Each structure stands twice: as C-alpha cells, then as structure tokens.
Amino acid sequence: MSQPVTAINHVASSLAALVAAHRVASRGERRWQENANCLGVDPDLFFPERGASTREAKSVCRGCEVRVECLEYALAHGEKFGIWGGLSERERRRVRRQRALDRRNAIGA
C-alpha cells in the first residue's frame, strides 16, 4: 500500500511546486503594483458605475510612477473594466485598435 501513497505524495509535491512557481511569477509580473499611487486607495474609486465620473480615479493615476506598467498590464490581460493606467475601458479599446492598425500598417509597408 506504500506504493500508491508515494505516488500521491509525488503528485502533491509536484503540484505544490507548480503553484509556488506560478505565485513567484505572478508576483514578479505585478511587482510594479507595490509602487502604485492607488495602493491603499478604495478600489471602488477605480470601478465607477456606468456614467459616473472617472475624474478622481484618473487624478490618482496622473502622477503615478508606474502608470505605464499598469496600462500595459491592463492591455496585455484584456482588462475590460475600471480605470487602469489612467485610462477608462473605452480609452483602452481605442489604444488597442490603434496598435492593431499600426501593426497592420507596419506589415503592409
């Protein structure tokens, strides 16, 4: 009976190693958040109701030293809601469309 227990322990330790590696990678990918102006600010500010003002959230982002990293994270991960890198969902869609157009033009040139 020790054979199956050993196999289960091996699978469990492999899974634990995989989860730990993913956590380390995720932390590294989002290390910029540790320097964000919004750290400690109520997250609801960055996810306003439809039609509500985004001015206050954008003012927090305006002077943020990691604004570009935040925006690039949102664009790379398809964040569809909230203010990221100082831009609303609509503004990020425009950036994605413009970048896609720029890539097509660069290929066609």
Side-chain angles (χ1 to χ4, degrees):
M1 183 120 184
S2 68
Q3 182 85 3
V5 171
T6 304
I8 290 171
N9 287 341
H10 176 69
V11 169
S13 67
S14 295
L15 182 58
L18 181 63
V19 168
H22 176 70
R23 283 185 182 147
V24 168
S26 293
R27 267 188 250 125
E29 182 178 300
R30 291 196 245 165
R31 198 156 194 81
W32 54 266
Q33 289 179 339
E34 296 171 5
N35 297 318
N37 282 359
C38 60
L39 193 63
V41 176
D42 182 2
D44 289 342
L45 180 67
F46 299 92
F47 296 91
E49 295 292 323
R50 184 179 283 285
S53 175
T54 60
R55 189 174 308 138
E56 193 175 347
K58 288 180 176 185
S59 71
V60 172
C61 298
R62 197 166 293 117
C64 185
E65 68 182 67
V66 295
R67 186 174 160 271
V68 171
E69 290 89 338
C70 180
L71 177 58
E72 291 305 323
Y73 176 86
L75 293 169
H77 291 85
E79 291 290 347
K80 291 185 173 43
F81 303 101
I83 304 300
W84 289 82
L87 299 184
S88 68
E89 307 97 280
R90 179 179 294 152
E91 293 164 327
R92 289 193 306 278
R93 275 195 306 271
R94 283 188 204 132
V95 169
R96 280 193 291 274
R97 276 195 299 264
Q98 185 61 52
R99 287 183 179 182
L101 182 61
D102 291 346
R103 279 192 303 273
R104 275 188 296 237
N105 289 338
I107 292 170

